[in-house]
Amino acid sequence: MLPTIEWKDDRIIMVDQRKLPVEEIYHELKTFEEVAEAIEKMIIRGAPAIGIAAAMGIALGYKNLGKDDKNAFLNICERLSKTRPTAKNLFWAIDRMKIKYESSQGKSYGEKSKALIEEALEIEREDVEMNKKMGEFGNSLIDNGDTILTHCNAGALATGGYGTALGVIRAAHFSGKKIRVFADETRPFLQGARLTTWELLKDGIETYLISDNMAGFFMKKGEIKKVVVGADRIVANGDFANKIGTYSVAVLAKEHGIPFYVAAPYSTFDLSLRSGEEIPIEERNRNEVLVINGKRIAPEEVKIKNPAFDVTPSRYVSGIITEKGVILPPYEENIKNIIGDK
Amino acid sequence: MLPTIEWKDDRIIMVDQRKLPVEEIYHELKTFEEVAEAIEKMIIRGAPAIGIAAAMGIALGYKNLGKDDKNAFLNICERLSKTRPTAKNLFWAIDRMKIKYESSQGKSYGEKSKALIEEALEIEREDVEMNKKMGEFGNSLIDNGDTILTHCNAGALATGGYGTALGVIRAAHFSGKKIRVFADETRPFLQGARLTTWELLKDGIETYLISDNMAGFFMKKGEIKKVVVGADRIVANGDFANKIGTYSVAVLAKEHGIPFYVAAPYSTFDLSLRSGEEIPIEERNRNEVLVINGKRIAPEEVKIKNPAFDVTPSRYVSGIITEKGVILPPYEENIKNIIGDK
């Protein structure tokens, strides 16, 4: 398995997730600005992964300063915080880097820089560990013989490794359960088609690609037994934002009585927001919808809407799989108890 | 507006609906086998349109025989009936051509051939007339200021002209109501993106293109006021088959309390089937899902499902707009009364 992102002493390497699986192109980023642009352009995507990328970008930017400069450090943090608005993990990671910086006061510039690099790497390591724990907890919800639907890519490529939703699927598979996965292609960016199928096939998991609009058909036929997805932000009442289309899948799952699970680490929770209505939803470029593989699919003059995420109210959620256990309703109370003040 | 299909004395001309709107390519078909292949390859598509194409294909094939041959005539009908399994209009049109042939017994070969050509052209003319009547009845359901969601293309290109679902939208627009349309792109074939937006923009109707998985998001925001779709087959209890993804839209509409209408002429009804479970669903080639604009979107070894249609139970349907009026529940009784024995 390719690492999603790799820290080298003077640069960050990432695979271009816009090109997978047909092309494996690696980018070597040498400035925090390049990292910020890589996040904006979705060379790297997935809530935990962009948190890690931002942390590494801050460590790289501070290293490139050559001397301590608090204002410059904060400007780097500010630039990275402007890349994408929805995923909580991004702001969580940036806050963690700021706290590390503050707690390193009194140390030399070299020590501070080293502490920031260590913190970014620690965020990455913790993320993989949390995914593996989530996988164990989530596996308890999966039955032998299940066919699991997932949307977008909440896999190794969306995280430090292993994955959130796909971590649960991997854990079930490697524990010996016979499972099949239906992957929604996930327009407009096609993360499900391009990334999820690729990851799962590498692990030998039986994977079917379907168009997003086919999920209801297979649910009605009784072929889908569980749904597992990731999250970009989960708020105090259990409402959550995730890739556009997740909400539709949740409504369909409810209509067919199919359990619908969300898998995410504590870094995805935002207890400062009380309901999903408060989550900012990114509107992305019209060409992501209008152009596929370099070719227009509609007249140039058509109007386009391209919300990158939607919000699913917690009443559609059967359980939230975290590294601390599976959170069940009532969410407001149980999230407070299990995730607490973070 | 381009005609969907045009009869010339010795050939049939159709625009290649796989290439629109970026390219306008016309095919000149000189044999019934070419017409059959054009239907199979979806050069022409849409339930009423393939009925018309099959009727013209039969008229052309019979003309090419050069003499009367009942077995050859029935073989032509048989070949065209094998092109696609789901749309009722195809079988209805073929049956009508067979009846015309039988009722022409005793006439000369030339007279029979002329009668078959006339019947095919009559099927086309009637279809346009029915669409306009449907438009009038459907318009009574549309309010000034409505935003209407539609799925796939049930427009001029799917019919003899004017359209079923898009006929309703056209009628509302030309009656002076201010309306907006959200067009689902409709993967895998992208009829919504390629054909619906193109048709509606030509008529000056404000049209937004969205990915299929965005419909739920806009319904939850309250932006969608009505849904209008076409149908490939409507059975005795009101269940209907339509382009894959229609069922998901219907479930979402119900969840949000949004009226969901189906527009189709009597030729789409199949009262020999009692429930939607009995409708044969076409499974199409994996490459329609795997390859977009000439490029693969997933690993070659991925498994793929590609059902071309789904079935929506009539409990999700607010009304069926036909050329004879709007059919409301209870469907079994009212369909029998309004559509009768056809």
Side-chain angles (χ1 to χ4, degrees):
Chain A
M1 178 59 64
L2 298 165
T4 307
I5 181 167
E6 206 176 341
W7 172 267
K8 299 281 184 185
D9 263 357
D10 58 345
R11 63 197 193 284
I12 295 163
I13 298 178
M14 32 175 107
V15 65
D16 193 332
Q17 299 198 26
R18 303 168 305 179
K19 307 289 184 186
L20 287 173
V22 176
E23 295 170 88
E24 270 186 33
I25 294 171
Y26 293 86
H27 293 271
E28 302 210 346
L29 311 177
K30 298 196 164 180
T31 68
F32 75 87
E33 177 59 29
E34 287 175 356
V35 176
E37 287 171 16
I39 295 170
E40 285 168 347
K41 293 176 185 166
M42 295 175 68
I43 289 170
I44 191 165
R45 30 62 53 198
I50 67 178
I52 294 163
M56 287 187 183
I58 290 166
L60 183 65
Y62 186 76
K63 185 165 189 260
N64 286 346
L65 287 176
K67 64 176 188 339
D68 187 43
D69 180 338
K70 184 171 178 177
N71 276 339
F73 170 80
L74 291 174
N75 284 340
I76 294 167
C77 293
E78 178 73 4
R79 171 69 184 97
L80 282 152
S81 75
K82 298 290 187 210
T83 48
R84 299 195 67 192
T86 305
K88 177 60 183 173
N89 313 62
L90 175 71
F91 307 103
W92 167 85
I94 294 170
D95 284 346
R96 218 171 122 166
M97 296 300 281
K98 284 182 183 168
I99 291 166
K100 176 56 68 177
Y101 180 79
E102 288 304 330
S103 72
S104 306
Q105 290 313 319
K107 294 188 176 165
S108 71
Y109 166 70
E111 285 169 332
K112 277 184 189 160
S113 180
K114 206 173 154 192
L116 289 173
I117 293 168
E118 257 314 306
E119 188 69 358
L121 293 172
E122 179 60 19
I123 288 172
E124 184 184 31
R125 272 191 300 269
E126 280 177 17
D127 190 62
V128 180
E129 271 169 40
M130 291 190 294
N131 286 341
K132 294 206 166 153
K133 282 187 189 149
M134 248 180 271
E136 284 171 35
F137 286 118
N139 185 15
S140 68
L141 302 168
I142 306 299
D143 293 314
N144 189 33
D146 272 353
T147 296
I148 303 164
L149 177 77
T150 190
H151 188 73
C152 196
N153 172 268
L157 289 163
T159 63
Y162 202 68
T164 54
L166 296 196
V168 172
I169 286 166
R170 288 196 159 94
H173 172 72
F174 288 116
S175 75
K177 289 174 186 166
K178 173 141 184 56
I179 55 164
R180 296 194 308 169
V181 175
F182 274 49
D184 279 348
E185 67 175 4
T186 318
R187 279 280 289 149
F189 210 73
L190 296 168
Q191 293 96 331
R194 295 189 299 96
L195 308 176
T196 294
T197 66
W198 183 73
E199 281 197 23
L200 295 180
L201 289 170
K202 273 185 186 280
D203 280 349
I205 298 170
E206 188 177 359
T207 306
Y208 290 81
L209 170 63
I210 60 170
S211 305
D212 297 313
N213 60 22
M214 293 175 189
F217 174 89
F218 291 108
M219 288 185 183
K220 182 153 155 281
K221 281 185 76 175
E223 292 201 25
I224 312 281
K225 300 302 182 192
K226 310 272 159 63
V227 177
V228 187
V229 298
D232 286 79
R233 194 184 298 218
I234 303 174
V235 303
N237 70 352
D239 294 354
F240 76 104
N242 191 46
K243 181 51 54 194
I244 187 72
T246 302
Y247 171 61
S248 295
V249 174
V251 170
L252 288 166
K254 180 188 159 217
E255 185 78 1
H256 296 91
I258 298 167
F260 179 95
Y261 297 109
V262 182
Y266 81 102
S267 49
T268 302
F269 284 79
D270 180 356
L271 304 191
S272 76
L273 302 186
R274 282 181 312 182
S275 111
E277 300 301 311
E278 299 170 40
I279 302 174
I281 297 297
E282 179 182 13
E283 173 84 21
R284 290 185 63 86
N285 189 289
R286 62 186 257 111
N287 282 336
E288 289 182 0
V289 173
L290 185 60
V291 180
I292 311 180
N293 287 334
K295 206 168 159 185
R296 254 200 301 119
I297 60 165
E300 182 63 50
E301 64 269 31
V302 74
K303 295 187 178 182
I304 284 180
K305 300 268 191 180
N306 185 15
F309 302 93
D310 57 28
V311 171
T312 301
S314 61
R315 65 177 179 277
Y316 295 96
V317 178
S318 310
I320 305 173
I321 303 161
T322 76
E323 76 284 7
K324 295 176 181 174
V326 179
I327 305 178
L328 299 173
Y331 287 114
E332 186 136 9
E333 193 181 326
N334 291 338
I335 288 173
K336 199 182 280 172
N337 290 340
I338 295 177
I339 303 298
D341 290 336
K342 306 179 64 168
Chain B
M1 176 60 63
L2 296 165
T4 307
I5 181 167
E6 206 177 342
W7 172 268
K8 299 281 183 184
D9 262 354
D10 59 344
R11 61 199 195 281
I12 294 164
I13 298 177
M14 31 176 106
V15 65
D16 193 331
Q17 300 199 26
R18 303 168 307 180
K19 308 290 183 184
L20 288 173
V22 176
E23 295 170 88
E24 269 185 33
I25 294 171
Y26 292 86
H27 294 271
E28 303 210 347
L29 312 178
K30 298 196 167 179
T31 67
F32 75 87
E33 176 59 30
E34 286 175 358
V35 176
E37 287 172 17
I39 295 171
E40 284 168 348
K41 292 176 185 166
M42 294 175 69
I43 290 171
I44 191 165
R45 33 57 56 197
I50 65 177
I52 295 162
M56 288 187 182
I58 290 167
L60 182 64
Y62 186 76
K63 184 166 191 263
N64 286 345
L65 287 178
K67 64 176 189 336
D68 186 42
D69 180 338
K70 184 171 178 179
N71 276 339
F73 171 79
L74 291 174
N75 284 340
I76 293 167
C77 293
E78 178 72 5
R79 171 69 185 98
L80 282 153
S81 75
K82 297 291 186 208
T83 48
R84 299 194 67 193
T86 303
K88 177 60 183 172
N89 313 62
L90 176 69
F91 307 103
W92 168 84
I94 294 171
D95 283 346
R96 213 167 127 168
M97 295 300 279
K98 283 182 185 170
I99 291 167
K100 176 56 69 176
Y101 180 79
E102 288 303 331
S103 72
S104 306
Q105 289 314 319
K107 292 185 179 172
S108 70
Y109 166 71
E111 284 169 334
K112 277 183 188 164
S113 180
K114 205 173 155 192
L116 289 173
I117 294 168
E118 258 313 305
E119 187 70 359
L121 293 173
E122 179 60 21
I123 288 172
E124 185 184 30
R125 272 192 300 269
E126 279 177 19
D127 190 62
V128 180
E129 270 170 41
M130 290 189 295
N131 287 340
K132 294 207 165 152
K133 282 188 191 151
M134 249 181 270
E136 284 172 36
F137 285 119
N139 185 15
S140 68
L141 303 167
I142 306 300
D143 292 315
N144 189 34
D146 272 353
T147 296
I148 303 164
L149 177 76
T150 191
H151 188 73
C152 195
N153 170 268
L157 289 163
T159 62
Y162 203 68
T164 54
L166 297 196
V168 172
I169 287 166
R170 287 196 160 95
H173 172 72
F174 288 116
S175 75
K177 290 175 186 166
K178 173 142 181 58
I179 56 164
R180 296 194 310 169
V181 174
F182 275 48
D184 280 348
E185 67 176 3
T186 319
R187 279 279 290 148
F189 210 74
L190 297 167
Q191 292 95 332
R194 296 188 298 96
L195 309 177
T196 293
T197 65
W198 183 73
E199 280 197 24
L200 295 180
L201 290 169
K202 274 185 186 278
D203 279 348
I205 298 170
E206 188 177 358
T207 305
Y208 290 81
L209 171 63
I210 60 170
S211 305
D212 297 313
N213 61 22
M214 294 174 186
F217 175 88
F218 290 107
M219 286 185 185
K220 182 152 156 280
K221 282 185 77 177
E223 292 201 24
I224 312 280
K225 300 300 180 194
K226 308 272 159 65
V227 178
V228 186
V229 298
D232 286 79
R233 193 183 301 216
I234 304 174
V235 303
N237 71 351
D239 294 355
F240 76 104
N242 192 44
K243 181 51 53 193
I244 187 73
T246 302
Y247 172 61
S248 296
V249 173
V251 170
L252 288 164
K254 180 189 158 214
E255 186 79 1
H256 297 90
I258 298 167
F260 178 97
Y261 297 108
V262 182
Y266 82 102
S267 50
T268 301
F269 284 79
D270 180 356
L271 304 192
S272 76
L273 302 185
R274 282 181 313 182
S275 112
E277 300 302 311
E278 299 170 41
I279 302 173
I281 298 296
E282 178 181 13
E283 174 84 21
R284 289 186 61 87
N285 190 288
R286 63 187 257 111
N287 281 336
E288 288 183 2
V289 173
L290 185 61
V291 179
I292 312 181
N293 286 334
K295 208 167 157 185
R296 252 198 303 119
I297 60 165
E300 182 62 50
E301 64 270 30
V302 74
K303 294 186 179 183
I304 286 181
K305 300 269 192 181
N306 186 16
F309 302 92
D310 57 26
V311 171
T312 301
S314 61
R315 65 178 179 277
Y316 295 97
V317 178
S318 310
I320 305 173
I321 302 161
T322 75
E323 77 282 7
K324 296 176 180 175
V326 178
I327 306 178
L328 299 173
Y331 287 114
E332 187 136 8
E333 193 180 326
N334 290 338
I335 288 174
K336 198 181 284 175
N337 289 339
I338 295 176
I339 303 298
D341 289 335
K342 308 179 61 173

